[in-house]
Amino acid sequence: MSTRQRRPAKPYRRPRKDPVRILAFEALRAVDERDAYANLVLPPLLRKAREKGPEAGGLDGRDAALATELVYGTLRRQGTYDAIIAECVDRPLREVDPPVLDVLSLGAHQLLGTRIPGHAAVSSTVELARVVLGDGRAKFVNAVLRRITAHDLDGWLDIVAPPYDDDPEEHLALRHAHPRWIVSALWDALGPAGNSRAGIEALLAADNERPEVTLVARPGRATVEELLTGEAEPGRWSPYAVRLAEGGDPGGLDAVREGRAGVQDEGSQLVALALANVPLEGPDSRWLDACAGPGGKAALLGALAAGRGATLLAAEKQQHRARLVARSLAGNPGPYAVVTADGTRPAWAPGTFDRVLVDVPCTGLGALRRRPEARWRRTPEDVPGFAPLQRGLLREALAAVRVGGVVGYVTCSPHPAETRAVVDDVLGEGAKGGPAAERIDAREQVPPLPGLGDGPDVQLWPHLHGTDAMYLALLRRTA
């Protein structure tokens, strides 16, 4: 037997369970495993944790804010963090188990994207790894995170991103955490007026900012003054908008709980208002929202229609989304109806309506602030995949409106293939026997906004207007 004295083994210490980081990890796993969206997954997790209370392992308001930042920040910069982590592991990233990669990404965000001290970021992430991955893989997490501490974010970006002059799009993709193809598409969409390095960097940076919570006071049901509580401020552009201070809770307002007001981006309000503002000759009594789910624009249109004695028909193809529309419209003072119907196979006769809104399904590249994980899910092949549906819905919307009536074509994507190209193609069909229509200058139906360009369509931008990147074309049927 050896005469050397054996060192006594350290007693095993159970890992500390941090409810904030465990909740953040659970949200990331749901996003990855179920293709869920964080804005749908996170609220119920937070609500359940807050109901427990801090004394029972739940979360208080400060904890909930940190969990939200960890989830959204990690998802937002996922591509950049993947590139950095790849420099710190000894195998291809695809060979790292997804749960391990989620823990590493959470740690990377704490180290590189927050003010959490480095030692605390490493130790808390290793403790999380012990809880959710086991002690063996926690050692791997610890080793990788310690390599990440060698540089701050700017230092890592100097390593993983090529110089701008060598490859502008890849440089911006890694610096601003967007896939390269989206950087290219957004740069094209900015057009000549904004097509500069400063313009695209401002847009990409705005995509990475947490959006304000904006409310809409539905006309005839609530007032802006009623919503201006605490540090809330009036909207910038919509007469019905109210911007909540950071951390403001919409659910704490009576008007929101009662459905008289709702959460709605100001860009979404503007496109609905623009359609309602177009002057018409002849009757103005029948309005249609042909793709109404989940119901925000329908609720605003319904309230505006009621104020003019008009009727709104809100159509939605998917039954569960039609139920959301019905909930949004509940209590509307004027006549309306909600139907489950496919806008490409209309359940109404041609020429029935005076105003038609068609907010078509799209890639959602205009709402990357709100759904940061969407940028990593979408592919360039998704864009042409939506094209037949978008053209079909616009074609039928023009057929549904009477001669002299107006159609508003809306997308929450600025991609040229989902915006101008769709409208140009469908308008060109008028000469081949389809409904004939002409563009209306949509800029005349919105407030004076910076950077609208030559028109006639309206393209909103996060960095210029503080809204989602909504696109609007207004078309008047001529034959």
Side-chain angles (χ1 to χ4, degrees):
M1 178 180 254
S2 171
T3 58
R4 286 185 297 176
Q5 188 174 5
R6 294 175 181 266
R7 295 177 64 184
K10 289 184 179 180
Y12 177 76
R13 180 181 62 79
R14 292 178 181 272
R16 292 187 294 272
K17 294 184 177 181
D18 180 341
V20 171
R21 287 163 178 83
I22 290 173
L23 185 148
F25 174 77
E26 290 174 350
L28 292 181
R29 292 310 304 139
V31 169
D32 184 50
E33 291 180 322
R34 304 202 308 264
D35 277 347
Y37 284 106
N39 67 332
L40 300 179
V41 166
L42 191 56
L45 288 174
L46 290 174
R47 189 161 49 247
K48 183 177 179 181
R50 294 185 75 163
E51 287 171 354
K52 286 183 180 179
E55 65 284 348
L59 306 183
D60 59 20
R62 187 175 178 181
D63 290 337
L66 176 57
T68 300
E69 167 56 30
L70 292 181
V71 172
Y72 277 89
T74 300
L75 290 171
R76 194 172 286 121
R77 291 196 170 271
Q78 178 183 309
T80 301
Y81 292 150
D82 282 354
I84 294 169
I85 292 167
E87 292 286 324
C88 300
V89 299
D90 56 1
R91 69 196 74 167
L93 215 57
R94 64 178 177 274
E95 294 180 10
V96 179
D97 288 343
V100 177
L101 193 54
D102 279 344
V103 172
L104 287 172
S105 297
L106 276 169
H109 181 58
Q110 291 172 77
L111 286 168
L112 305 176
T114 74
R115 296 179 181 177
I116 297 171
H119 64 88
V122 172
S123 62
S124 62
T125 307
V126 172
E127 289 296 299
L128 171 67
R130 293 184 67 201
V131 173
V132 301
L133 303 175
D135 287 342
R137 291 195 284 183
K139 293 178 182 177
F140 172 74
V141 168
N142 182 51
V144 174
L145 292 181
R146 292 194 180 280
R147 292 180 193 131
I148 293 176
T149 61
H151 306 285
D152 62 10
L153 181 58
D154 285 337
W156 275 115
L157 289 172
D158 288 340
I159 294 170
V160 301
Y164 180 86
D165 291 339
D166 290 352
D167 191 340
E169 290 178 350
E170 187 66 13
H171 174 91
L172 294 172
L174 284 165
R175 284 268 170 188
H176 295 282
H178 285 66
R180 180 190 179 109
W181 76 270
I182 292 181
V183 172
S184 179
L186 293 177
W187 216 338
D188 287 344
L190 281 171
N195 196 358
S196 64
R197 179 176 180 177
I200 185 62
E201 290 210 81
L203 171 56
L204 297 175
D207 264 355
N208 288 331
E209 294 174 1
R210 186 185 305 174
E212 292 178 314
V213 176
T214 306
L215 305 179
V216 58
R218 290 165 181 157
R221 303 179 64 187
T223 65
V224 165
E225 290 70 26
E226 181 181 358
L227 302 178
L228 289 174
T229 61
E231 298 180 22
E233 297 180 0
R236 296 179 181 90
W237 316 113
S238 166
Y240 304 110
V242 168
R243 296 177 289 142
L244 292 189
E246 186 171 351
D249 179 17
L253 297 171
D254 290 342
V256 174
R257 287 197 302 270
E258 295 163 4
R260 297 182 293 109
V263 176
Q264 187 175 28
D265 179 73
E266 202 162 357
S268 180
Q269 297 180 42
L270 286 179
V271 296
L273 289 170
L275 173 68
N277 289 342
V278 178
L280 293 185
E281 292 185 5
D284 188 15
S285 60
R286 292 175 294 189
W287 296 12
L288 170 68
D289 185 344
C291 300
K297 295 182 188 68
L300 179 53
L301 285 174
L304 293 168
R308 302 185 199 175
T311 299
L312 175 72
L313 177 65
E316 171 54 48
K317 180 179 178 180
Q318 299 179 33
Q319 192 169 36
H320 73 281
R321 286 168 63 85
R323 287 195 290 268
L324 294 176
V325 176
R327 192 179 307 163
S328 295
L329 278 162
N332 193 69
Y336 68 89
V338 179
V339 296
T340 303
D342 183 349
T344 64
R345 299 178 179 178
W348 43 82
T352 296
F353 300 99
D354 305 301
R355 300 179 192 266
V356 177
L357 178 70
V358 57
D359 182 4
V360 299
C362 65
T363 56
L365 299 184
L368 298 181
R369 303 178 306 159
R370 303 182 189 283
R371 291 187 167 178
E373 62 285 294
R375 70 186 72 180
W376 310 114
R377 288 184 186 167
R378 290 297 185 197
T379 68
E381 292 72 32
D382 291 333
V383 177
F386 281 105
L389 176 59
Q390 291 164 345
R391 285 163 173 76
L393 286 166
L394 179 54
R395 193 178 297 119
E396 293 300 337
L398 284 171
V401 76
R402 66 170 175 85
V403 173
V406 176
V407 170
Y409 174 83
V410 172
T411 71
C412 193
S413 168
H415 197 298
E418 301 189 88
T419 57
R420 298 188 302 272
V422 173
V423 177
D424 290 346
D425 286 354
V426 174
L427 285 179
E429 295 172 1
K432 302 175 184 177
E438 62 184 6
R439 269 184 165 98
I440 299 171
D441 194 334
R443 297 171 302 171
E444 297 177 357
Q445 309 307 327
V446 297
L449 298 169
L452 287 185
D454 297 332
D457 305 338
V458 165
Q459 177 64 67
L460 301 173
W461 295 107
H463 65 300
L464 295 178
H465 311 116
T467 68
D468 291 343
M470 305 289 295
Y471 168 83
L472 168 69
L474 291 174
L475 311 175
R476 191 186 303 277
R477 184 169 174 184
T478 57

